[in-house]
Amino acid sequence: MVLKQFIKKESIMKNSNLFFGLTSVSDILTVSGLDFKASKTPLYSKELLHSDLQGITTNDNRFLGIAGKNYTCVQNNEFFDFLNPLLNSKDIIIENAYQYKSKSILKLRTKEKTAINVNDLVQHYIYASNDFSGKNSSEGMFYSIRLACTNGMKKSNKECSFSIKHFNTYQEKLRQAIELMSNFQLYAETLKNDISKMQETKFNNDDFLAMVNSFLSIDSDKENLVSSNILNKRKAIVELYNTKEDLKAYNNTLFKGYSAITDYYSNNATIRNSSDNLIKENALVFENSANQLQKAYSFAMELTSN
């Protein structure tokens, strides 16, 4: 059987207005078209059977991904069930649900925003993704955006995310995820406290340059050996630090330095130049930019304790 590719035009975000008032995973999956059934299918190439690999397809034969023979198909209605208690609360609403490559994704947001300064608010989100490939994990995470500049904020500890591979042990880990993701109010409070620590940590221009060099692994004594790509990244981050209007309220603080780095990775050329909102969002939440935002958070928090 030759598998059809997962057609790109089907991997689109639905209009978020479609989800207004929905409070159950079942209804959200139906409206978004994510209520398909996935199954393992023998995988062929040039009429040769790959005995150690499986194709993952939907019930209408759309190709989702490739996985190993020990992969367990976890249906969307089963995986996303842990979100039902959150959707039934008065504090969380569904914002979007869509398919992106091998991932089925539900995006929720908190009704309450966190104020980190006058007219400077942070919006919190919960992302959950069920991945139909053997390469990636299914996961859930808290993710925040500073609304003044759309900078992403991603904490990097086990209290804020979970990751599950589709093997026989996934059910126990999914039960643990329910408890973790229900603590969104604690997450929001912890993030606010972390930001306060960054704002209270005094930081001058020399401290910032040392932070950026360390973040980018630049040895100031051997800059002639550093690639122009890395040096250009540093130049762009320093320019943001010196010119961004929304950062001036945080002069001489670690939070300004941290925000310059997150501004760069939240709005870098790859993201700015893409016209596809799916690519932009998933780069920030799941892919390389997300990893850099997570690294920046850890970097800054280590400096608050020095």
Side-chain angles (χ1 to χ4, degrees):
M1 177 181 181
V2 179
L3 302 176
K4 294 187 289 185
Q5 291 294 317
F6 191 77
I7 302 172
K8 185 177 180 181
K9 69 179 181 180
E10 295 181 74
S11 297
I12 59 174
M13 286 189 182
K14 300 290 186 179
N15 187 322
S16 58
N17 292 333
L18 293 173
F19 304 106
F20 181 77
L22 298 184
T23 58
S24 77
V25 166
S26 177
D27 289 343
I28 292 166
L29 296 180
T30 299
V31 169
S32 63
L34 299 180
D35 56 344
F36 55 76
K37 300 297 182 184
S39 60
K40 295 189 288 187
T41 307
L43 186 66
Y44 294 87
S45 63
K46 295 182 179 179
E47 299 183 354
L48 295 175
L49 174 65
H50 292 273
S51 58
D52 57 337
L53 294 175
Q54 304 281 337
I56 311 301
T57 62
T58 66
N59 50 308
D60 57 354
N61 203 33
R62 288 177 294 165
F63 179 58
L64 295 172
I66 297 173
K69 60 183 180 180
N70 294 324
Y71 176 91
T72 300
C73 275
V74 181
Q75 305 301 334
N76 280 340
N77 64 334
E78 181 181 0
F79 176 79
F80 291 118
D81 184 66
F82 77 94
L83 294 174
N84 273 315
L86 296 178
L87 290 165
N88 288 326
S89 76
K90 297 180 180 180
D91 303 309
I92 298 285
I93 59 176
I94 178 69
E95 180 156 307
N96 224 320
Y98 55 95
Q99 186 73 27
Y100 180 71
K101 298 181 180 178
S102 60
K103 294 179 180 289
S104 295
I105 299 171
L106 267 61
K107 176 184 178 183
L108 289 69
R109 66 175 169 85
T110 61
K111 289 184 179 180
E112 294 293 325
K113 303 176 182 68
T114 297
I116 60 173
N117 204 343
V118 178
N119 299 321
D120 200 344
L121 301 176
V122 174
Q123 176 68 68
H124 306 295
Y125 296 92
I126 295 173
Y127 281 85
S129 68
N130 190 21
D131 192 88
F132 294 96
S133 75
K135 180 180 179 181
N136 303 310
S137 299
S138 293
E139 56 192 328
M141 72 184 75
F142 298 112
Y143 186 90
S144 300
I145 290 178
R146 184 170 162 240
L147 297 179
C149 54
T150 67
N151 285 3
M153 295 181 176
K154 190 174 183 184
K155 287 174 63 67
S156 55
N157 61 55
K158 294 179 181 179
E159 297 175 0
C160 301
S161 64
F162 72 86
S163 179
I164 297 174
K165 283 285 190 180
H166 285 217
F167 297 122
N168 293 333
T169 58
Y170 80 90
Q171 289 181 321
E172 176 58 32
K173 291 186 176 181
L174 199 54
R175 284 193 288 271
Q176 296 171 3
I178 297 172
E179 182 176 355
L180 171 69
M181 301 309 289
S182 64
N183 287 330
F184 63 92
Q185 291 171 323
L186 176 61
Y187 159 79
E189 188 62 30
T190 301
L191 184 136
K192 183 178 181 179
N193 291 338
D194 288 350
I195 292 174
S196 293
K197 291 178 183 178
M198 295 184 208
Q199 293 172 347
E200 293 165 2
T201 301
K202 298 301 180 183
F203 218 62
N204 59 35
N205 291 344
D206 290 338
D207 294 328
F208 170 67
L209 187 57
M211 176 187 184
V212 175
N213 281 344
S214 181
F215 185 85
L216 296 174
S217 300
I218 296 174
D219 185 337
S220 57
D221 295 328
K222 300 178 181 179
E223 287 196 16
N224 60 311
L225 302 178
V226 179
S227 71
S228 59
N229 179 49
I230 297 297
L231 293 176
N232 286 336
K233 285 183 181 180
R234 183 180 67 179
K235 180 180 178 181
I237 293 171
V238 170
E239 184 176 356
L240 289 168
Y241 180 83
N242 290 326
T243 61
K244 283 279 289 184
E245 285 294 325
D246 62 275
L247 296 184
K248 291 182 178 179
Y250 305 105
N251 281 343
N252 303 312
T253 71
L254 171 59
F255 185 69
K256 180 178 180 179
Y258 161 75
S259 296
I261 294 174
T262 60
D263 194 293
Y264 174 79
Y265 286 104
S266 297
N267 303 282
N268 61 34
T270 301
I271 295 171
R272 289 197 311 273
N273 295 336
S274 176
S275 60
D276 190 325
N277 288 333
L278 274 175
I279 292 176
K280 290 181 180 181
E281 179 160 4
N282 286 278
L284 285 170
V285 179
F286 297 107
E287 297 171 358
N288 185 54
S289 289
N291 295 334
Q292 298 303 318
L293 292 172
Q294 193 173 64
K295 178 182 174 182
Y297 200 104
S298 296
F299 238 76
M301 290 310 299
E302 287 178 7
L303 291 171
T304 62
S305 59
N306 290 342

